[in-house]
Amino acid sequence: MAGVGPELVILIIVLVVVIFWRGPSTLPKLGEALGKAVKGVRDNMPDSKDDDTTGTDAGQKPSA
């Protein structure tokens, strides 16, 4: 299984357990909850465009 990391294997196992334990009807609810969580994280992350770590604009060269 080249290229398949342990994270992917764990994710597949969790999905199989959820499908067989709770039934396939819970997958849309699970997907919705996961989507809301990801959206919440993205909304609360600062934009990288607002960070000015170099002191120059993207289109300008720094003065020498």
Side-chain angles (χ1 to χ4, degrees), residues 2-41:
V4 178
E7 298 89 8
L8 183 60
V9 173
I10 291 171
L11 178 66
I12 292 171
I13 291 172
V14 167
L15 286 175
V16 169
V17 168
V18 167
I19 290 172
F20 284 110
W21 179 50
R22 301 290 297 213
S25 63
T26 58
L27 286 179
K29 294 176 188 174
L30 183 64
E32 182 180 357
L34 183 62
K36 286 182 181 179
V38 169
K39 185 179 184 307
V41 169

